[in-house]
Amino acid sequence: MKNIILLIFSIVLFVACSSKEDAKIDTSKARAMGEKAAQEMIDSRADTVRLQTLLLDARATQYQILQHNDTVIADAYIQAIEDYLRAHHDSLARVIL
Protein backbone atom coordinates (compact mmCIF):
# COMPACT_ATOMS: atom_id res chain seq x y z
CA MET A 1 0.00 0.00 0.00
CA LYS A 2 2.84 2.39 0.87
CA ASN A 3 4.48 1.62 -2.47
CA ILE A 4 1.33 2.49 -4.38
CA ILE A 5 0.96 5.80 -2.53
CA LEU A 6 4.64 6.58 -3.12
CA LEU A 7 4.29 5.69 -6.80
CA ILE A 8 1.20 7.91 -7.23
CA PHE A 9 2.93 10.77 -5.42
CA SER A 10 6.02 10.36 -7.63
CA ILE A 11 3.95 10.41 -10.80
CA VAL A 12 2.06 13.52 -9.71
CA LEU A 13 5.33 15.26 -8.79
CA PHE A 14 6.91 14.26 -12.11
CA VAL A 15 3.95 15.54 -14.12
CA ALA A 16 3.90 18.82 -12.21
CA CYS A 17 7.61 19.41 -12.78
CA SER A 18 7.52 18.45 -16.45
CA SER A 19 4.52 20.66 -17.17
CA LYS A 20 6.36 23.67 -15.72
CA GLU A 21 9.30 22.97 -18.00
CA ASP A 22 7.02 22.60 -21.03
CA ALA A 23 5.36 25.92 -20.21
CA LYS A 24 8.65 27.79 -20.45
CA ILE A 25 9.48 29.18 -23.87
CA ASP A 26 12.36 31.27 -25.09
CA THR A 27 12.32 34.52 -27.04
CA SER A 28 12.91 32.90 -30.43
CA LYS A 29 10.02 30.47 -29.91
CA ALA A 30 7.80 33.37 -28.81
CA ARG A 31 8.71 35.31 -31.94
CA ALA A 32 7.94 32.26 -34.11
CA MET A 33 4.57 31.86 -32.37
CA GLY A 34 3.87 35.57 -32.95
CA GLU A 35 4.74 35.36 -36.63
CA LYS A 36 2.50 32.33 -37.05
CA ALA A 37 -0.36 34.15 -35.32
CA ALA A 38 0.16 37.19 -37.55
CA GLN A 39 0.13 35.04 -40.69
CA GLU A 40 -3.17 33.50 -39.57
CA MET A 41 -4.54 37.03 -39.14
CA ILE A 42 -3.45 37.94 -42.65
CA ASP A 43 -4.99 34.76 -44.05
CA SER A 44 -8.26 35.48 -42.21
CA ARG A 45 -8.50 39.20 -42.95
CA ALA A 46 -11.67 38.81 -45.03
CA ASP A 47 -13.49 37.05 -42.18
CA THR A 48 -14.04 39.72 -39.51
CA VAL A 49 -15.27 37.31 -36.84
CA ARG A 50 -12.29 34.98 -37.36
CA LEU A 51 -9.89 37.93 -37.28
CA GLN A 52 -11.41 39.18 -34.01
CA THR A 53 -11.08 35.69 -32.56
CA LEU A 54 -7.41 35.56 -33.57
CA LEU A 55 -6.78 38.94 -31.96
CA LEU A 56 -8.38 37.74 -28.74
CA ASP A 57 -6.34 34.54 -28.93
CA ALA A 58 -3.16 36.60 -29.26
CA ARG A 59 -4.01 38.58 -26.13
CA ALA A 60 -4.90 35.36 -24.30
CA THR A 61 -1.53 33.88 -25.25
CA GLN A 62 0.20 37.04 -24.07
CA TYR A 63 -1.67 36.78 -20.78
CA GLN A 64 -0.72 33.11 -20.36
CA ILE A 65 2.94 33.98 -20.88
CA LEU A 66 2.62 36.81 -18.36
CA GLN A 67 1.18 34.35 -15.85
CA HIS A 68 4.63 32.76 -15.80
CA ASN A 69 6.05 36.21 -14.89
CA ASP A 70 7.82 36.41 -18.22
CA THR A 71 7.27 39.94 -19.52
CA VAL A 72 10.25 39.77 -21.90
CA ILE A 73 8.83 36.69 -23.63
CA ALA A 74 5.31 38.17 -23.73
CA ASP A 75 6.67 41.41 -25.21
CA ALA A 76 8.64 39.43 -27.82
CA TYR A 77 5.47 37.56 -28.81
CA ILE A 78 3.40 40.73 -29.30
CA GLN A 79 6.27 42.57 -31.00
CA ALA A 80 6.65 39.69 -33.47
CA ILE A 81 2.97 39.93 -34.38
CA GLU A 82 3.23 43.67 -34.93
CA ASP A 83 6.48 43.45 -36.92
CA TYR A 84 5.16 40.65 -39.12
CA LEU A 85 1.92 42.45 -39.85
CA ARG A 86 3.72 45.68 -40.72
CA ALA A 87 6.14 43.84 -42.99
CA HIS A 88 3.63 41.60 -44.78
CA HIS A 89 0.32 43.46 -44.76
CA ASP A 90 0.76 47.09 -43.78
CA SER A 91 -2.86 48.08 -44.41
CA LEU A 92 -4.12 45.41 -42.00
CA ALA A 93 -1.50 46.48 -39.46
CA ARG A 94 -2.72 50.07 -39.65
CA VAL A 95 -6.29 48.95 -38.95
CA ILE A 96 -5.70 46.63 -36.03
CA LEU A 97 -2.57 47.99 -34.36
Side-chain angles (χ1 to χ4, degrees):
M1 184 67 167
K2 287 182 182 179
N3 290 338
I4 293 174
I5 293 172
L6 183 61
L7 178 64
I8 292 171
F9 179 75
S10 298
I11 291 171
V12 169
L13 185 61
F14 176 74
V15 169
C17 290
S18 66
S19 66
K20 287 180 183 176
E21 288 300 315
D22 292 341
K24 291 184 178 180
I25 57 174
D26 62 11
T27 306
S28 61
K29 184 175 178 183
R31 288 199 60 79
M33 289 170 46
E35 290 172 357
K36 182 180 180 210
Q39 183 59 53
E40 287 182 56
M41 290 175 197
I42 291 170
D43 294 343
S44 302
R45 67 188 177 273
D47 183 353
T48 305
V49 173
R50 175 77 176 134
L51 182 57
Q52 289 174 344
T53 302
L54 291 170
L55 289 168
L56 290 172
D57 288 346
R59 288 300 177 188
T61 300
Q62 178 190 25
Y63 180 75
Q64 288 173 345
I65 296 169
L66 287 171
Q67 290 300 303
H68 298 296
N69 296 322
D70 222 332
T71 56
V72 172
I73 302 299
D75 290 345
Y77 172 73
I78 294 299
Q79 190 62 50
I81 292 173
E82 292 174 0
D83 293 346
Y84 193 90
L85 285 173
R86 285 188 182 105
H88 293 88
H89 206 288
D90 190 50
S91 59
L92 180 62
R94 281 182 278 162
V95 171
I96 64 174
L97 297 180

